[in-house]
Amino acid sequence: MSERLQPGDVAPDFTLPDADGNEVSLSAHKGRKVIVYFYPAALTPGCTKQACDFTDNLTLLADAGYDVLGISPDAPEKLGKFRDKENLKVTLLADPDKKVLDAYGAFGEKMNYGKTYMGVIRSTIIVDEQGKVEKALYNVRATGHVAKIIKDLGI
């Protein structure tokens, strides 16, 4: 399990394929704030709710200077199905080898119904214009999380 990021840390740069197989890098967003959120699996109820909430608030976030990137261990093809089925506007990125999830502390030990296992820790990292971590939120809930971020950021 990797270390969790803290405010002030340099956000690890990454390049991952999006739902169409195009490469997207964090460094390409320098000069804008970026909300990087990690979720366990496309096409599941909680992750769908969260992705739809980000999509519904994308214009508000963009107008406030934020780009949104959603990262899961799903393959690009599955992300494409997820995007098309739910009409998502958020940029979804594939991290099947979990290198970025690990670098951000968003993959590790979880507990569910008394069983311990390794999995994606639902997390949101807010990166400032210089590429530094502004906020690092771990073990967030899918429902109501986007509204809380908007409130906390004063948007």
Side-chain angles (χ1 to χ4, degrees):
M1 187 159 117
S2 57
E3 289 290 309
R4 291 184 170 186
L5 297 177
Q6 302 295 323
D9 288 350
V10 172
D13 194 20
F14 57 78
T15 301
L16 292 171
D18 68 10
D20 298 313
N22 300 312
E23 304 247 300
V24 176
S25 298
L26 179 63
S27 56
H29 294 266
K30 266 250 167 62
R32 286 189 56 83
K33 294 182 180 197
V34 184
I35 296 170
V36 183
Y37 80 96
F38 298 92
Y39 62 99
L43 299 166
T44 58
C47 298
T48 298
K49 174 79 178 114
Q50 189 176 21
C52 288
D53 282 353
F54 271 118
T55 293
D56 292 346
N57 289 285
L58 207 55
T59 302
L60 178 71
L61 291 164
D63 289 350
Y66 291 89
D67 295 334
V68 179
L69 303 174
I71 300 176
S72 75
D74 297 305
E77 301 77 38
K78 187 173 179 188
L79 297 179
K81 286 180 187 152
F82 185 36
R83 178 194 61 203
D84 296 345
K85 180 176 187 261
E86 301 298 336
N87 200 22
L88 300 173
K89 302 292 182 234
V90 177
T91 301
L92 301 174
L93 303 177
D95 185 21
D97 61 10
K98 303 173 186 75
K99 281 192 170 85
V100 177
L101 283 154
D102 202 45
Y104 276 75
F107 188 82
E109 210 170 80
K110 295 174 70 167
M111 187 176 274
N112 199 11
Y113 300 112
K115 293 207 185 305
T116 303
Y117 63 98
M118 297 298 283
V120 175
I121 298 162
R122 193 181 300 277
S123 312
T124 301
I125 310 300
I126 298 171
V127 181
D128 71 13
E129 298 91 338
Q130 286 75 46
K132 290 218 161 106
V133 175
E134 192 175 299
K135 289 182 185 289
L137 310 163
Y138 292 94
N139 293 309
V140 301
R141 296 209 168 277
T143 304
H145 179 60
V146 175
K148 184 178 179 343
I149 289 172
I150 291 168
K151 182 175 179 268
D152 289 352
L153 294 175
I155 299 173

